[in-house]
């Protein structure tokens, strides 16, 4: 089993099932003891802002705020893509507690590290 899981979620309300799957897999992995780094890109970028996850709804899916809290509580990292943040006018001061902004170089570094499995949703 991979020691770390890097998950890039590119979908938000525009593709709710894909979005929910990414957050669900991240939360389940953290709960299973796997180190998780969740990257928010594209339309999922909005979930780096306080209150935005509560606006997301998908029948028969765990609430996004609960999944995010589970990820953070289990030590998972949440990162917003630098370019995605800039395109949306999002700054570090705007983010939910515990989230950060970082770029492609950091993503590649994390994804290519020994013992890492990377997934893109």
């Amino acid at each position: 089993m991979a020691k770390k899981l890097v998950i890039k979620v590119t979908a938000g309300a525009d593709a709710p099932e894909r979005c929910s799957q990414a957050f669900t897999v991240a939360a389940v992995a953290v709960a299973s003891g796997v180190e998780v780094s969740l990257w928010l890109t594209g339309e999922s970028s909005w979930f780096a802002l306080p209150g935005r996850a509560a606006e997301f709804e998908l029948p028969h899916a765990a609430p996004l705020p609960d999944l995010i809290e589970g990820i953070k509580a289990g030590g998972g990292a949440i990162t917003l893509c630098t370019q995605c943040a800039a395109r949306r006018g999002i700054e570090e001061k705007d983010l939910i507690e515990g989230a950060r902004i970082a770029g492609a170089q950091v993503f590649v570094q994390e994804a290519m590290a020994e013992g890492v499995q990377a997934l893109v949703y």
Side-chain angles (χ1 to χ4, degrees):
M1 182 193 287
K3 296 177 187 165
K4 183 174 182 178
L5 188 58
V6 176
I7 300 173
K8 179 184 273 194
V9 55
T10 63
D14 58 327
E17 289 182 310
R18 189 162 29 112
C19 176
S20 180
Q21 288 171 359
F23 282 92
T24 300
V25 167
V28 168
V30 166
S32 299
V34 176
E35 184 181 348
V36 172
S37 177
L38 180 67
W39 283 72
L40 306 178
T41 67
E43 286 304 298
S44 73
S45 300
W46 297 113
F47 301 128
L49 297 175
R52 293 301 285 266
E55 298 171 7
F56 180 87
E57 291 185 15
L58 181 64
H60 309 290
L64 213 52
D66 294 351
L67 295 173
I68 291 170
E69 285 309 311
I71 293 163
K72 292 182 349 182
I78 298 177
T79 305
L80 172 59
C81 160
T82 301
Q83 291 179 7
C84 299
R87 281 190 281 275
R88 289 160 179 81
I90 301 172
E91 298 178 11
E92 196 97 30
K93 66 179 177 55
D94 303 323
L95 303 180
I96 58 175
E97 184 178 337
R100 67 176 178 162
I101 295 175
Q105 179 182 4
V106 177
F107 176 79
V108 170
Q109 185 178 30
E110 286 187 14
M112 298 304 296
E114 184 83 25
V116 172
Q117 174 68 51
L119 302 173
V120 178
Y121 285 88

